[in-house]
Amino acid sequence: MQTNPHHPTTFVFPLLLFFCLFEGIMVKENEVAAMEIEGPKPNNSDQINPRYSINVLQLLKSAQMQHGLRHGDYARYRRYCTARLRRLYKSLKFTHGRGKYTRRAMNESTVTEVRYLHLVLYTAERAWSHAMEKRQLLDGPNAKQRIYLIGRLRKAVKWADLFSRLCAAKGDSRTSLEAEAYASCMNGLLLFEQDRNWDTALKNFISARAVYEELGKYGDLENQVLCRERVEELEPSVRYCRHKIGESNLKTSELLQIGEMEGPALDLFKAKLEAAMAEARSQQAASLTEFHWLGHRFPISNAKTRVSILKGWHLISLSEDLAQELEKDLHAPAADSLPVEKKLAVFDKIYTAYQEARSFIRSDLASAGNADSVKDDLNGLDKAVGAVLGQRTIERNQLLVSIAKSKLARHRDDKNEKVTKPEELVRLYDLLLQNTGDLSDLVSSGRDRKPEEVAFSEDCVLRSMAFRAQRCFYLAKSYSSAGKRTEAYALYCHAQSLAENALKKFQTTMDTDEAMTKELKTLYNECRANSCIEHATGIMEDEKAPENLSKKISTISLSGVDKKAEKFLIEKLDVYESAVGESNVKSVPRIGVFPPAFQSIPRNPIVLDLAYNCIDFPSLENRMKKDKKGFISRLWR
């Protein structure tokens, strides 16, 4: 029996066969994907009780850094968690009903694959990020928002505990440990925000830290780095809890230094610390009624001005501690890893605090009216705060000078290290001279000057002399590096005389600055040694100048081509040979002679016409046209 190829049933059987094969392939792919997610199943016991594996810390760190927390954007991270949960609910078909919300239980029997654990984890993260978003409000959360914030943290703790229990039942040992550490961190953060049960919060933080310390000993390098970072993020919370319990005596400067650390886990700690410091400043501001400066007492009536000045004082105490630490570490062999930016950031905060105080003082001046006594007090207070700000600016620039000097004197083994030039130190000393002059003018302005102000002005003059000597020394160094021996020698001699005069002035004062005196003595000796070196180097260069000149002249040829040298590419175009040279040898490419040699070219002869001045030319007056005049013009002749 013959079949009609155009009959419809002819195409039915191939189509059915194709769909059957396609369904079989899809079933196999789904089975392979399920095996990849759940892991290998070597025996029957593992098939009954599968063990899932999640690298919790790496998963959360990657999600946080990629979705907002690199810049502290908790709202963006919360939106990501919501979208992630929506995708998980839909893919797992674990929705809670279409019309009426019907909550589905999440327990051990529900967890049939690893995505259910992701579901619980991201729910906890969404609640935590929502709480942190409320914490980051501009003026801080009010009473109602704080209640909502604590409620969201409670929700995060609830889901974190559930995640820990499910991982203990369904996950492997490492996943269970990480989930337990995550739940401990959430419990500690809740107690930290509630300002109670500090001993329980301390136990939670210590437990999480111990887990991450142990996990950091194993695994790949990336996992070890993440665990170490997590331990460093938990350490400030542990220290603060001990401080609240009374087990440690932390100073205010140490607390501020802890608050400078970075990390999403420290944002709640920093917000809490800032709130505590602001409350402490407000309490101290009530007792701060006067500002003492160089024998003057200026009353402070504005509460905001008091808080800003107190903030500046606290930062000054921190900067003094950090400056002592920096002075020790600059001479240490591991000075490259010194966080200098942290010290400079403290000075920037001091500048901001005092500028804020001056703005409040000037607003009070604008609203003072015609009260002369109030205006005098406010002007004096503004002058005092400006003088303190000028002192801190000088200290900051001196810190920059010490850092630049250490880089200049250190051997530069690292090629990537930025080279410090003497010109940079000259610029820094220019700033110091300008700052010292401005501070001296500010203090010396006024009619009734007290002895403290006179002594302070004299100290500014002495310091400017020392800065001028240092500036002249590094200016001489810059000329020496440029090969200008005469100028360098003259500047070294001038710097030596400036250092000697400044040293005599410092030794005659009652309150001798030992550090500055020692620095000037070292500068005097270095100026003397360098002037001798420049003198000797200049004489040697003068002696060698004729010899070097004769050598250079002897190598000059009119043709410009050395016959002993190898031929250039232009001269051997018929030969296939590279003219660039080898890659590992720094040689000049042999393409052509530059500058090109002189060539003789023909030109027109030069004619000098010397006979022109000796020729007597005939008169041509008889050939010139004569003017014809009329009858009237003849009468007036």
Side-chain angles (χ1 to χ4, degrees), residues 264-300:
L266 290 171
D267 287 344
L268 184 62
F269 171 77
K270 289 192 285 188
K272 193 74 175 177
L273 181 61
E274 185 63 31
M277 296 299 295
E279 185 179 355
R281 290 191 202 107
S282 300
Q283 292 176 359
Q284 292 180 9
S287 59
L288 180 66
T289 57
E290 291 181 341
F291 186 82
H292 301 270
W293 177 75
L294 295 181
H296 293 280
R297 291 187 176 184
F298 302 106
I300 308 174

Side-chain angles (χ1 to χ4, degrees), residues 17 25 62 106 124 205 223 269 277 286 296 312 321 328 377 500 517 541 549 562 624 628 633:
L17 180 61
I25 292 170
S62 175
M106 178 68 72
F205 286 131
N223 176 72
F269 171 77
M277 296 299 295
H296 293 280
D321 296 340
K328 294 177 183 177
D377 291 337
E500 186 178 6
T517 305
E541 289 180 355
L549 184 62
D562 189 3
M624 293 174 64
K628 294 181 179 181
S633 62

Side-chain angles (χ1 to χ4, degrees), residues 85-103:
L85 286 171
R86 188 183 299 113
R87 291 193 298 268
L88 286 171
Y89 276 122
K90 192 173 180 180
S91 63
L92 290 171
K93 297 180 181 179
F94 197 68
T95 55
H96 302 284
R98 283 182 173 246
K100 184 179 178 181
Y101 178 82
T102 306
R103 185 174 185 81

Side-chain angles (χ1 to χ4, degrees), residues 113-129:
E113 58 173 293
V114 72
R115 286 183 293 173
Y116 285 98
L117 297 178
H118 287 191
L119 193 69
V120 180
L121 178 61
Y122 279 107
T123 307
E125 282 289 292
R126 181 176 63 176
W128 169 77
S129 59

Side-chain angles (χ1 to χ4, degrees), residues 445-465:
S445 63
R447 298 178 181 177
D448 300 330
R449 298 177 62 193
K450 292 196 172 185
E452 291 87 350
E453 291 180 305
V454 176
F456 190 85
S457 299
E458 292 176 354
D459 183 68
C460 289
V461 172
L462 289 178
R463 288 185 178 276
S464 63
M465 291 176 64

Side-chain angles (χ1 to χ4, degrees), residues 350-611:
I350 292 172
Y351 184 82
T352 304
Y354 279 112
Q355 284 291 352
E356 186 180 0
R358 294 188 77 180
S359 67
F360 291 140
I361 293 168
R362 288 172 183 176
S363 63
D364 292 341
L365 268 171
S367 60
N370 297 324
D372 293 336
S373 59
V374 176
K375 281 189 173 182
D376 290 340
D377 291 337
L378 289 174
N379 282 320
L381 182 60
D382 182 54
K383 175 183 174 181
V385 173
V388 175
L389 184 59
Q391 287 179 276
R392 303 311 158 199
T393 307
I394 291 173
E395 290 176 6
R396 180 184 183 276
N397 290 333
Q398 283 180 319
L399 175 63
L400 292 174
V401 165
S402 60
I403 295 167
K405 283 183 179 179
S406 66
K407 289 183 179 180
L408 184 68
R410 196 185 309 146
H411 295 289
R412 302 182 188 91
D413 297 330
D414 189 6
K415 294 182 180 179
N416 296 325
E417 184 182 1
K418 186 178 179 181
V419 179
T420 301
K421 297 181 180 179
E423 290 83 357
E424 297 180 15
L425 283 161
V426 172
R427 182 184 61 83
L428 289 174
Y429 276 111
D430 281 333
L431 290 176
L432 282 170
L433 285 170
Q434 183 180 356
N435 295 333
T436 310
D438 294 341
L439 184 59
S440 178
D441 293 341
L442 180 64
V443 174
S444 59
S445 63
R447 298 178 181 177
D448 300 330
R449 298 177 62 193
K450 292 196 172 185
E452 291 87 350
E453 291 180 305
V454 176
F456 190 85
S457 299
E458 292 176 354
D459 183 68
C460 289
V461 172
L462 289 178
R463 288 185 178 276
S464 63
M465 291 176 64
F467 294 152
R468 193 172 289 109
Q470 294 273 8
R471 180 189 178 278
C472 188
F473 173 75
Y474 286 105
L475 187 62
K477 267 189 172 299
S478 65
Y479 274 101
S480 175
S481 60
K484 298 180 179 180
R485 307 298 174 191
T486 307
E487 293 85 350
Y489 175 76
L491 286 170
Y492 277 128
C493 293
H494 186 56
Q496 183 180 354
S497 64
L498 289 175
E500 186 178 6
N501 294 333
L503 191 58
K504 289 179 181 178
K505 292 283 186 180
F506 268 98
Q507 289 174 349
T508 55
T509 56
M510 298 294 293
D511 299 330
T512 306
D513 191 349
E514 295 181 358
M516 187 64 74
T517 305
K518 183 179 178 181
E519 190 175 355
L520 284 171
K521 287 181 180 178
T522 305
L523 178 65
Y524 179 82
N525 295 329
E526 288 184 357
C527 288
R528 184 178 178 184
N530 281 284
S531 62
C532 295
I533 291 171
E534 291 299 324
H535 191 194
T537 307
I539 292 174
M540 291 172 63
E541 289 180 355
D542 288 341
E543 291 291 333
K544 290 182 179 180
E547 182 181 354
N548 294 334
L549 184 62
S550 62
K551 285 182 179 179
K552 291 178 181 179
I553 293 174
S554 63
T555 58
I556 296 176
S557 63
L558 294 176
S559 61
V561 180
D562 189 3
K563 294 183 179 179
K564 294 181 180 180
E566 196 172 350
K567 291 183 178 181
F568 292 93
L569 179 64
I570 297 177
E571 300 173 359
K572 49 180 182 179
L573 293 176
D574 55 339
V575 180
Y576 184 77
E577 184 178 346
S578 174
V580 178
E582 298 180 0
S583 59
N584 55 354
V585 179
K586 294 182 178 179
S587 59
V588 180
R590 295 172 285 101
I591 298 174
V593 182
F594 186 83
F598 291 103
Q599 296 179 359
S600 58
I601 58 173
R603 62 160 299 155
N604 296 330
I606 299 174
V607 179
L608 300 177
D609 195 354
L610 302 177

Side-chain angles (χ1 to χ4, degrees), residues 13 20 54 75 111 165 177 182 232 244 305 310 370 404 417-418 429 524 535 547 621:
F13 293 106
C20 291
I54 303 175
V111 181
R165 292 197 303 272
L177 278 175
Y182 179 75
E232 292 176 357
K244 296 297 286 187
T305 307
L310 278 172
N370 297 324
E417 184 182 1
K418 186 178 179 181
Y429 276 111
Y524 179 82
H535 191 194
E547 182 181 354
E621 289 183 0

